[in-house]
Amino acid sequence: MIEKLNDPALEEELEKLDDLAQAGQPQELKRETIKALGDLSGQGEVYRNRGVVCAVTDEKAQALAMYEKALPLFEQADNPGGQGQVYRNLGEIHARTGETAKALAMYEKALQCFEKAGSTLALGAVYFDRGRIHARVGETGQALAMYEQAL
């Protein structure tokens, strides 16, 4: 028997995701699994997905708040891949707002997590992200090095 998590904040975010799914937004969460007690990664994914939605709709503060809720859940679940995704999402927000140093710091944390998880595909994506930042600020040598590592 699966016990359900009694977390009003998590329930509220699940409801918001359900509303978006009914409005035609992509929704890949399995509600019962995520709410199951002890599924910390699933709970982290709820908040991370809400952060992605908020970031796409230019709600930076709300996106950051959702990512900050997701991160400790992935840490508690010992899920470096989930942590890496959150750090990458944080890097994307900072890159979009021109906060280059913060973006690079988040991407570095993402790399560390993805290395720990053994996720080569995700590592390549983060190196590509870092390359874009270096290219944007005119550091073509650094950009090229990052793009080569992405391969």
Side-chain angles (χ1 to χ4, degrees):
M1 181 166 118
I2 297 176
E3 294 181 46
K4 299 295 181 182
L5 180 70
N6 186 14
D7 182 344
L10 181 62
E11 180 63 32
E12 180 180 333
E13 296 311 321
L14 284 166
E15 292 297 326
K16 289 176 185 175
L17 284 169
D18 283 348
D19 291 345
L20 289 170
Q22 291 171 8
Q25 296 293 328
Q27 175 57 275
E28 299 176 15
L29 301 175
K30 292 191 175 16
R31 187 177 177 90
E32 289 75 26
T33 303
I34 289 166
K35 289 178 65 179
L37 182 61
D39 185 5
L40 297 175
S41 287
Q43 294 169 43
E45 197 61 27
V46 170
Y47 289 118
R48 192 185 75 77
N49 284 340
R50 276 290 293 145
V52 169
V53 170
C54 292
V56 167
T57 58
D58 289 326
E59 299 174 62
K60 179 187 172 188
Q62 186 67 12
L64 292 173
M66 292 295 109
Y67 294 144
E68 294 303 320
K69 287 182 179 183
L71 200 53
L73 292 166
F74 286 124
E75 288 170 355
Q76 290 172 33
D78 192 28
N79 181 341
Q83 290 172 272
Q85 285 291 27
V86 172
Y87 284 126
R88 184 173 181 220
N89 294 140
L90 287 166
E92 289 170 358
I93 287 179
H94 294 306
R96 235 181 292 143
T97 58
E99 299 170 284
T100 304
K102 284 184 180 180
L104 290 172
M106 293 299 104
Y107 288 145
E108 182 60 34
K109 288 182 179 186
L111 285 174
Q112 292 169 8
C113 292
F114 289 139
E115 284 173 5
K116 184 177 178 184
S119 181
T120 13
L121 184 60
L123 283 168
V126 176
Y127 280 118
F128 181 80
D129 294 338
R130 289 178 66 181
R132 284 188 323 198
I133 289 178
H134 289 296
R136 189 178 309 139
V137 297
E139 297 171 349
T140 53
Q142 272 293 87
L144 182 59
M146 294 295 108
Y147 291 143
E148 287 174 350
Q149 282 193 276
L151 301 173

PDB file of all heavy atoms in Angstrom, residues 65-99:
ATOM      1  N   ALA A  65      12.054  30.419  -7.329  1.00  0.00           N
ATOM      2  CA  ALA A  65      11.481  29.851  -6.109  1.00  0.00           C
ATOM      3  C   ALA A  65      11.172  28.365  -6.284  1.00  0.00           C
ATOM      4  O   ALA A  65      11.423  27.560  -5.379  1.00  0.00           O
ATOM      5  CB  ALA A  65      10.213  30.611  -5.716  1.00  0.00           C
ATOM      6  N   MET A  66      10.646  27.988  -7.436  1.00  0.00           N
ATOM      7  CA  MET A  66      10.334  26.575  -7.697  1.00  0.00           C
ATOM      8  C   MET A  66      11.606  25.738  -7.755  1.00  0.00           C
ATOM      9  O   MET A  66      11.674  24.637  -7.208  1.00  0.00           O
ATOM     10  CB  MET A  66       9.550  26.414  -8.999  1.00  0.00           C
ATOM     11  CG  MET A  66       8.142  26.984  -8.976  1.00  0.00           C
ATOM     12  SD  MET A  66       7.065  26.119  -7.812  1.00  0.00           S
ATOM     13  CE  MET A  66       6.883  27.382  -6.544  1.00  0.00           C
ATOM     14  N   TYR A  67      12.646  26.268  -8.401  1.00  0.00           N
ATOM     15  CA  TYR A  67      13.909  25.542  -8.484  1.00  0.00           C
ATOM     16  C   TYR A  67      14.542  25.386  -7.103  1.00  0.00           C
ATOM     17  O   TYR A  67      15.130  24.351  -6.798  1.00  0.00           O
ATOM     18  CB  TYR A  67      14.888  26.234  -9.437  1.00  0.00           C
ATOM     19  CG  TYR A  67      14.447  26.226 -10.883  1.00  0.00           C
ATOM     20  CD1 TYR A  67      14.703  27.309 -11.711  1.00  0.00           C
ATOM     21  CD2 TYR A  67      13.770  25.142 -11.438  1.00  0.00           C
ATOM     22  CE1 TYR A  67      14.312  27.315 -13.043  1.00  0.00           C
ATOM     23  CE2 TYR A  67      13.367  25.141 -12.765  1.00  0.00           C
ATOM     24  CZ  TYR A  67      13.640  26.230 -13.563  1.00  0.00           C
ATOM     25  OH  TYR A  67      13.251  26.229 -14.876  1.00  0.00           O
ATOM     26  N   GLU A  68      14.399  26.411  -6.276  1.00  0.00           N
ATOM     27  CA  GLU A  68      14.941  26.335  -4.917  1.00  0.00           C
ATOM     28  C   GLU A  68      14.201  25.289  -4.078  1.00  0.00           C
ATOM     29  O   GLU A  68      14.781  24.697  -3.169  1.00  0.00           O
ATOM     30  CB  GLU A  68      14.908  27.701  -4.230  1.00  0.00           C
ATOM     31  CG  GLU A  68      15.839  28.721  -4.868  1.00  0.00           C
ATOM     32  CD  GLU A  68      17.301  28.286  -4.918  1.00  0.00           C
ATOM     33  OE1 GLU A  68      17.792  27.682  -3.947  1.00  0.00           O
ATOM     34  OE2 GLU A  68      17.956  28.544  -5.936  1.00  0.00           O
ATOM     35  N   LYS A  69      12.942  25.046  -4.378  1.00  0.00           N
ATOM     36  CA  LYS A  69      12.200  23.985  -3.689  1.00  0.00           C
ATOM     37  C   LYS A  69      12.597  22.614  -4.217  1.00  0.00           C
ATOM     38  O   LYS A  69      12.606  21.635  -3.478  1.00  0.00           O
ATOM     39  CB  LYS A  69      10.687  24.183  -3.866  1.00  0.00           C
ATOM     40  CG  LYS A  69      10.119  25.325  -3.071  1.00  0.00           C
ATOM     41  CD  LYS A  69       8.617  25.415  -3.258  1.00  0.00           C
ATOM     42  CE  LYS A  69       8.028  26.546  -2.431  1.00  0.00           C
ATOM     43  NZ  LYS A  69       6.562  26.614  -2.549  1.00  0.00           N
ATOM     44  N   ALA A  70      12.913  22.538  -5.496  1.00  0.00           N
ATOM     45  CA  ALA A  70      13.252  21.257  -6.115  1.00  0.00           C
ATOM     46  C   ALA A  70      14.621  20.754  -5.671  1.00  0.00           C
ATOM     47  O   ALA A  70      14.801  19.551  -5.429  1.00  0.00           O
ATOM     48  CB  ALA A  70      13.216  21.386  -7.639  1.00  0.00           C
ATOM     49  N   LEU A  71      15.580  21.651  -5.589  1.00  0.00           N
ATOM     50  CA  LEU A  71      16.958  21.259  -5.347  1.00  0.00           C
ATOM     51  C   LEU A  71      17.165  20.406  -4.095  1.00  0.00           C
ATOM     52  O   LEU A  71      17.774  19.331  -4.171  1.00  0.00           O
ATOM     53  CB  LEU A  71      17.844  22.499  -5.331  1.00  0.00           C
ATOM     54  CG  LEU A  71      19.322  22.279  -5.557  1.00  0.00           C
ATOM     55  CD1 LEU A  71      19.598  21.487  -6.820  1.00  0.00           C
ATOM     56  CD2 LEU A  71      20.024  23.620  -5.622  1.00  0.00           C
ATOM     57  N   PRO A  72      16.653  20.818  -2.922  1.00  0.00           N
ATOM     58  CA  PRO A  72      16.885  19.986  -1.740  1.00  0.00           C
ATOM     59  C   PRO A  72      16.201  18.619  -1.824  1.00  0.00           C
ATOM     60  O   PRO A  72      16.678  17.649  -1.226  1.00  0.00           O
ATOM     61  CB  PRO A  72      16.332  20.815  -0.577  1.00  0.00           C
ATOM     62  CG  PRO A  72      15.518  21.887  -1.174  1.00  0.00           C
ATOM     63  CD  PRO A  72      15.967  22.075  -2.589  1.00  0.00           C
ATOM     64  N   LEU A  73      15.108  18.536  -2.554  1.00  0.00           N
ATOM     65  CA  LEU A  73      14.441  17.238  -2.710  1.00  0.00           C
ATOM     66  C   LEU A  73      15.317  16.279  -3.517  1.00  0.00           C
ATOM     67  O   LEU A  73      15.466  15.107  -3.149  1.00  0.00           O
ATOM     68  CB  LEU A  73      13.071  17.417  -3.368  1.00  0.00           C
ATOM     69  CG  LEU A  73      12.054  18.149  -2.501  1.00  0.00           C
ATOM     70  CD1 LEU A  73      10.856  18.595  -3.327  1.00  0.00           C
ATOM     71  CD2 LEU A  73      11.609  17.270  -1.338  1.00  0.00           C
ATOM     72  N   PHE A  74      15.922  16.775  -4.591  1.00  0.00           N
ATOM     73  CA  PHE A  74      16.838  15.939  -5.367  1.00  0.00           C
ATOM     74  C   PHE A  74      18.077  15.586  -4.546  1.00  0.00           C
ATOM     75  O   PHE A  74      18.596  14.479  -4.640  1.00  0.00           O
ATOM     76  CB  PHE A  74      17.248  16.631  -6.668  1.00  0.00           C
ATOM     77  CG  PHE A  74      16.163  16.652  -7.706  1.00  0.00           C
ATOM     78  CD1 PHE A  74      15.749  17.847  -8.254  1.00  0.00           C
ATOM     79  CD2 PHE A  74      15.572  15.481  -8.150  1.00  0.00           C
ATOM     80  CE1 PHE A  74      14.760  17.882  -9.237  1.00  0.00           C
ATOM     81  CE2 PHE A  74      14.579  15.496  -9.125  1.00  0.00           C
ATOM     82  CZ  PHE A  74      14.174  16.700  -9.667  1.00  0.00           C
ATOM     83  N   GLU A  75      18.535  16.530  -3.717  1.00  0.00           N
ATOM     84  CA  GLU A  75      19.695  16.258  -2.867  1.00  0.00           C
ATOM     85  C   GLU A  75      19.366  15.166  -1.852  1.00  0.00           C
ATOM     86  O   GLU A  75      20.142  14.232  -1.674  1.00  0.00           O
ATOM     87  CB  GLU A  75      20.137  17.536  -2.148  1.00  0.00           C
ATOM     88  CG  GLU A  75      20.795  18.542  -3.076  1.00  0.00           C
ATOM     89  CD  GLU A  75      21.017  19.904  -2.433  1.00  0.00           C
ATOM     90  OE1 GLU A  75      20.584  20.135  -1.274  1.00  0.00           O
ATOM     91  OE2 GLU A  75      21.612  20.768  -3.112  1.00  0.00           O
ATOM     92  N   GLN A  76      18.209  15.271  -1.214  1.00  0.00           N
ATOM     93  CA  GLN A  76      17.797  14.259  -0.231  1.00  0.00           C
ATOM     94  C   GLN A  76      17.615  12.892  -0.879  1.00  0.00           C
ATOM     95  O   GLN A  76      17.860  11.871  -0.252  1.00  0.00           O
ATOM     96  CB  GLN A  76      16.497  14.680   0.448  1.00  0.00           C
ATOM     97  CG  GLN A  76      16.634  15.858   1.383  1.00  0.00           C
ATOM     98  CD  GLN A  76      15.277  16.338   1.862  1.00  0.00           C
ATOM     99  OE1 GLN A  76      14.357  15.557   2.030  1.00  0.00           O
ATOM    100  NE2 GLN A  76      15.162  17.641   2.083  1.00  0.00           N
ATOM    101  N   ALA A  77      17.176  12.879  -2.129  1.00  0.00           N
ATOM    102  CA  ALA A  77      16.964  11.623  -2.844  1.00  0.00           C
ATOM    103  C   ALA A  77      18.270  11.074  -3.416  1.00  0.00           C
ATOM    104  O   ALA A  77      18.265  10.004  -4.007  1.00  0.00           O
ATOM    105  CB  ALA A  77      15.951  11.831  -3.970  1.00  0.00           C
ATOM    106  N   ASP A  78      19.366  11.799  -3.226  1.00  0.00           N
ATOM    107  CA  ASP A  78      20.658  11.437  -3.799  1.00  0.00           C
ATOM    108  C   ASP A  78      20.509  11.208  -5.297  1.00  0.00           C
ATOM    109  O   ASP A  78      20.889  10.180  -5.840  1.00  0.00           O
ATOM    110  CB  ASP A  78      21.245  10.201  -3.103  1.00  0.00           C
ATOM    111  CG  ASP A  78      22.705   9.984  -3.481  1.00  0.00           C
ATOM    112  OD1 ASP A  78      23.398  10.977  -3.802  1.00  0.00           O
ATOM    113  OD2 ASP A  78      23.150   8.817  -3.468  1.00  0.00           O
ATOM    114  N   ASN A  79      19.926  12.209  -5.958  1.00  0.00           N
ATOM    115  CA  ASN A  79      19.664  12.162  -7.391  1.00  0.00           C
ATOM    116  C   ASN A  79      20.481  13.262  -8.071  1.00  0.00           C
ATOM    117  O   ASN A  79      19.988  14.365  -8.302  1.00  0.00           O
ATOM    118  CB  ASN A  79      18.167  12.351  -7.651  1.00  0.00           C
ATOM    119  CG  ASN A  79      17.806  12.296  -9.108  1.00  0.00           C
ATOM    120  OD1 ASN A  79      18.642  12.459  -9.979  1.00  0.00           O
ATOM    121  ND2 ASN A  79      16.528  12.087  -9.375  1.00  0.00           N
ATOM    122  N   PRO A  80      21.750  12.968  -8.408  1.00  0.00           N
ATOM    123  CA  PRO A  80      22.581  14.008  -9.023  1.00  0.00           C
ATOM    124  C   PRO A  80      22.075  14.440 -10.399  1.00  0.00           C
ATOM    125  O   PRO A  80      22.279  15.588 -10.801  1.00  0.00           O
ATOM    126  CB  PRO A  80      23.969  13.370  -9.104  1.00  0.00           C
ATOM    127  CG  PRO A  80      23.732  11.909  -9.032  1.00  0.00           C
ATOM    128  CD  PRO A  80      22.479  11.715  -8.236  1.00  0.00           C
ATOM    129  N   GLY A  81      21.403  13.552 -11.115  1.00  0.00           N
ATOM    130  CA  GLY A  81      20.847  13.943 -12.411  1.00  0.00           C
ATOM    131  C   GLY A  81      19.772  15.001 -12.252  1.00  0.00           C
ATOM    132  O   GLY A  81      19.732  15.982 -13.008  1.00  0.00           O
ATOM    133  N   GLY A  82      18.895  14.835 -11.262  1.00  0.00           N
ATOM    134  CA  GLY A  82      17.862  15.831 -10.979  1.00  0.00           C
ATOM    135  C   GLY A  82      18.470  17.147 -10.529  1.00  0.00           C
ATOM    136  O   GLY A  82      18.045  18.228 -10.959  1.00  0.00           O
ATOM    137  N   GLN A  83      19.487  17.055  -9.672  1.00  0.00           N
ATOM    138  CA  GLN A  83      20.179  18.262  -9.230  1.00  0.00           C
ATOM    139  C   GLN A  83      20.793  18.982 -10.426  1.00  0.00           C
ATOM    140  O   GLN A  83      20.695  20.210 -10.539  1.00  0.00           O
ATOM    141  CB  GLN A  83      21.292  17.910  -8.240  1.00  0.00           C
ATOM    142  CG  GLN A  83      20.821  17.429  -6.892  1.00  0.00           C
ATOM    143  CD  GLN A  83      22.000  16.931  -6.082  1.00  0.00           C
ATOM    144  OE1 GLN A  83      22.366  15.774  -6.161  1.00  0.00           O
ATOM    145  NE2 GLN A  83      22.601  17.833  -5.321  1.00  0.00           N
ATOM    146  N   GLY A  84      21.418  18.222 -11.296  1.00  0.00           N
ATOM    147  CA  GLY A  84      22.053  18.812 -12.465  1.00  0.00           C
ATOM    148  C   GLY A  84      21.059  19.541 -13.348  1.00  0.00           C
ATOM    149  O   GLY A  84      21.345  20.623 -13.855  1.00  0.00           O
ATOM    150  N   GLN A  85      19.880  18.949 -13.513  1.00  0.00           N
ATOM    151  CA  GLN A  85      18.847  19.600 -14.326  1.00  0.00           C
ATOM    152  C   GLN A  85      18.426  20.925 -13.705  1.00  0.00           C
ATOM    153  O   GLN A  85      18.221  21.917 -14.411  1.00  0.00           O
ATOM    154  CB  GLN A  85      17.627  18.697 -14.501  1.00  0.00           C
ATOM    155  CG  GLN A  85      17.846  17.580 -15.478  1.00  0.00           C
ATOM    156  CD  GLN A  85      17.982  18.071 -16.915  1.00  0.00           C
ATOM    157  OE1 GLN A  85      18.387  19.194 -17.191  1.00  0.00           O
ATOM    158  NE2 GLN A  85      17.638  17.225 -17.853  1.00  0.00           N
ATOM    159  N   VAL A  86      18.274  20.949 -12.381  1.00  0.00           N
ATOM    160  CA  VAL A  86      17.889  22.199 -11.712  1.00  0.00           C
ATOM    161  C   VAL A  86      18.984  23.244 -11.886  1.00  0.00           C
ATOM    162  O   VAL A  86      18.696  24.402 -12.224  1.00  0.00           O
ATOM    163  CB  VAL A  86      17.580  21.965 -10.220  1.00  0.00           C
ATOM    164  CG1 VAL A  86      17.377  23.292  -9.484  1.00  0.00           C
ATOM    165  CG2 VAL A  86      16.351  21.079 -10.052  1.00  0.00           C
ATOM    166  N   TYR A  87      20.234  22.843 -11.669  1.00  0.00           N
ATOM    167  CA  TYR A  87      21.327  23.804 -11.845  1.00  0.00           C
ATOM    168  C   TYR A  87      21.391  24.301 -13.284  1.00  0.00           C
ATOM    169  O   TYR A  87      21.647  25.481 -13.530  1.00  0.00           O
ATOM    170  CB  TYR A  87      22.662  23.198 -11.425  1.00  0.00           C
ATOM    171  CG  TYR A  87      22.855  23.115  -9.936  1.00  0.00           C
ATOM    172  CD1 TYR A  87      23.172  21.908  -9.315  1.00  0.00           C
ATOM    173  CD2 TYR A  87      22.723  24.247  -9.133  1.00  0.00           C
ATOM    174  CE1 TYR A  87      23.351  21.827  -7.941  1.00  0.00           C
ATOM    175  CE2 TYR A  87      22.896  24.181  -7.754  1.00  0.00           C
ATOM    176  CZ  TYR A  87      23.214  22.962  -7.169  1.00  0.00           C
ATOM    177  OH  TYR A  87      23.388  22.896  -5.813  1.00  0.00           O
ATOM    178  N   ARG A  88      21.144  23.417 -14.240  1.00  0.00           N
ATOM    179  CA  ARG A  88      21.138  23.847 -15.642  1.00  0.00           C
ATOM    180  C   ARG A  88      19.998  24.835 -15.886  1.00  0.00           C
ATOM    181  O   ARG A  88      20.168  25.851 -16.561  1.00  0.00           O
ATOM    182  CB  ARG A  88      21.015  22.645 -16.581  1.00  0.00           C
ATOM    183  CG  ARG A  88      21.098  23.061 -18.036  1.00  0.00           C
ATOM    184  CD  ARG A  88      21.143  21.897 -18.979  1.00  0.00           C
ATOM    185  NE  ARG A  88      21.251  22.397 -20.346  1.00  0.00           N
ATOM    186  CZ  ARG A  88      20.617  21.881 -21.365  1.00  0.00           C
ATOM    187  NH1 ARG A  88      19.861  20.815 -21.215  1.00  0.00           N
ATOM    188  NH2 ARG A  88      20.757  22.403 -22.562  1.00  0.00           N
ATOM    189  N   ASN A  89      18.815  24.547 -15.330  1.00  0.00           N
ATOM    190  CA  ASN A  89      17.691  25.472 -15.468  1.00  0.00           C
ATOM    191  C   ASN A  89      18.013  26.829 -14.844  1.00  0.00           C
ATOM    192  O   ASN A  89      17.682  27.871 -15.417  1.00  0.00           O
ATOM    193  CB  ASN A  89      16.430  24.896 -14.827  1.00  0.00           C
ATOM    194  CG  ASN A  89      15.888  23.669 -15.520  1.00  0.00           C
ATOM    195  OD1 ASN A  89      15.437  22.726 -14.868  1.00  0.00           O
ATOM    196  ND2 ASN A  89      15.918  23.645 -16.836  1.00  0.00           N
ATOM    197  N   LEU A  90      18.654  26.817 -13.682  1.00  0.00           N
ATOM    198  CA  LEU A  90      19.054  28.072 -13.043  1.00  0.00           C
ATOM    199  C   LEU A  90      20.049  28.821 -13.930  1.00  0.00           C
ATOM    200  O   LEU A  90      19.959  30.045 -14.091  1.00  0.00           O
ATOM    201  CB  LEU A  90      19.664  27.797 -11.666  1.00  0.00           C
ATOM    202  CG  LEU A  90      18.680  27.383 -10.579  1.00  0.00           C
ATOM    203  CD1 LEU A  90      19.415  26.816  -9.363  1.00  0.00           C
ATOM    204  CD2 LEU A  90      17.801  28.560 -10.176  1.00  0.00           C
ATOM    205  N   GLY A  91      20.988  28.095 -14.516  1.00  0.00           N
ATOM    206  CA  GLY A  91      21.948  28.710 -15.423  1.00  0.00           C
ATOM    207  C   GLY A  91      21.266  29.357 -16.614  1.00  0.00           C
ATOM    208  O   GLY A  91      21.640  30.458 -17.035  1.00  0.00           O
ATOM    209  N   GLU A  92      20.246  28.694 -17.146  1.00  0.00           N
ATOM    210  CA  GLU A  92      19.517  29.246 -18.289  1.00  0.00           C
ATOM    211  C   GLU A  92      18.835  30.558 -17.930  1.00  0.00           C
ATOM    212  O   GLU A  92      18.848  31.512 -18.715  1.00  0.00           O
ATOM    213  CB  GLU A  92      18.482  28.238 -18.794  1.00  0.00           C
ATOM    214  CG  GLU A  92      19.102  27.047 -19.495  1.00  0.00           C
ATOM    215  CD  GLU A  92      18.104  25.939 -19.788  1.00  0.00           C
ATOM    216  OE1 GLU A  92      16.911  26.054 -19.429  1.00  0.00           O
ATOM    217  OE2 GLU A  92      18.535  24.941 -20.383  1.00  0.00           O
ATOM    218  N   ILE A  93      18.240  30.619 -16.753  1.00  0.00           N
ATOM    219  CA  ILE A  93      17.587  31.858 -16.325  1.00  0.00           C
ATOM    220  C   ILE A  93      18.614  32.978 -16.215  1.00  0.00           C
ATOM    221  O   ILE A  93      18.409  34.086 -16.719  1.00  0.00           O
ATOM    222  CB  ILE A  93      16.843  31.674 -14.989  1.00  0.00           C
ATOM    223  CG1 ILE A  93      15.576  30.857 -15.207  1.00  0.00           C
ATOM    224  CG2 ILE A  93      16.492  33.030 -14.367  1.00  0.00           C
ATOM    225  CD1 ILE A  93      14.794  30.594 -13.953  1.00  0.00           C
ATOM    226  N   HIS A  94      19.730  32.700 -15.552  1.00  0.00           N
ATOM    227  CA  HIS A  94      20.755  33.735 -15.371  1.00  0.00           C
ATOM    228  C   HIS A  94      21.363  34.140 -16.711  1.00  0.00           C
ATOM    229  O   HIS A  94      21.662  35.320 -16.919  1.00  0.00           O
ATOM    230  CB  HIS A  94      21.820  33.269 -14.386  1.00  0.00           C
ATOM    231  CG  HIS A  94      21.304  33.096 -12.994  1.00  0.00           C
ATOM    232  ND1 HIS A  94      20.640  34.089 -12.309  1.00  0.00           N
ATOM    233  CD2 HIS A  94      21.337  32.034 -12.152  1.00  0.00           C
ATOM    234  CE1 HIS A  94      20.297  33.654 -11.113  1.00  0.00           C
ATOM    235  NE2 HIS A  94      20.709  32.411 -10.985  1.00  0.00           N
ATOM    236  N   ALA A  95      21.529  33.182 -17.618  1.00  0.00           N
ATOM    237  CA  ALA A  95      22.064  33.512 -18.947  1.00  0.00           C
ATOM    238  C   ALA A  95      21.104  34.425 -19.697  1.00  0.00           C
ATOM    239  O   ALA A  95      21.525  35.395 -20.337  1.00  0.00           O
ATOM    240  CB  ALA A  95      22.313  32.231 -19.741  1.00  0.00           C
ATOM    241  N   ARG A  96      19.810  34.133 -19.608  1.00  0.00           N
ATOM    242  CA  ARG A  96      18.806  34.938 -20.303  1.00  0.00           C
ATOM    243  C   ARG A  96      18.743  36.362 -19.780  1.00  0.00           C
ATOM    244  O   ARG A  96      18.420  37.286 -20.521  1.00  0.00           O
ATOM    245  CB  ARG A  96      17.427  34.282 -20.154  1.00  0.00           C
ATOM    246  CG  ARG A  96      16.784  34.026 -21.488  1.00  0.00           C
ATOM    247  CD  ARG A  96      15.422  33.410 -21.379  1.00  0.00           C
ATOM    248  NE  ARG A  96      15.546  32.048 -20.871  1.00  0.00           N
ATOM    249  CZ  ARG A  96      14.700  31.479 -20.037  1.00  0.00           C
ATOM    250  NH1 ARG A  96      13.639  32.115 -19.625  1.00  0.00           N
ATOM    251  NH2 ARG A  96      14.886  30.254 -19.620  1.00  0.00           N
ATOM    252  N   THR A  97      19.041  36.538 -18.501  1.00  0.00           N
ATOM    253  CA  THR A  97      18.961  37.874 -17.908  1.00  0.00           C
ATOM    254  C   THR A  97      20.315  38.586 -17.901  1.00  0.00           C
ATOM    255  O   THR A  97      20.456  39.628 -17.270  1.00  0.00           O
ATOM    256  CB  THR A  97      18.390  37.798 -16.474  1.00  0.00           C
ATOM    257  OG1 THR A  97      19.220  36.949 -15.676  1.00  0.00           O
ATOM    258  CG2 THR A  97      16.964  37.291 -16.479  1.00  0.00           C
ATOM    259  N   GLY A  98      21.304  37.998 -18.574  1.00  0.00           N
ATOM    260  CA  GLY A  98      22.601  38.640 -18.695  1.00  0.00           C
ATOM    261  C   GLY A  98      23.511  38.497 -17.487  1.00  0.00           C
ATOM    262  O   GLY A  98      24.546  39.155 -17.405  1.00  0.00           O
ATOM    263  N   GLU A  99      23.155  37.648 -16.557  1.00  0.00           N
ATOM    264  CA  GLU A  99      23.969  37.430 -15.364  1.00  0.00           C
ATOM    265  C   GLU A  99      24.976  36.309 -15.665  1.00  0.00           C
ATOM    266  O   GLU A  99      24.835  35.184 -15.201  1.00  0.00           O
ATOM    267  CB  GLU A  99      23.078  37.068 -14.183  1.00  0.00           C
ATOM    268  CG  GLU A  99      22.075  38.149 -13.834  1.00  0.00           C
ATOM    269  CD  GLU A  99      21.043  37.677 -12.833  1.00  0.00           C
ATOM    270  OE1 GLU A  99      20.123  36.933 -13.225  1.00  0.00           O
ATOM    271  OE2 GLU A  99      21.179  38.047 -11.645  1.00  0.00           O
TER     272      GLU A  99
END
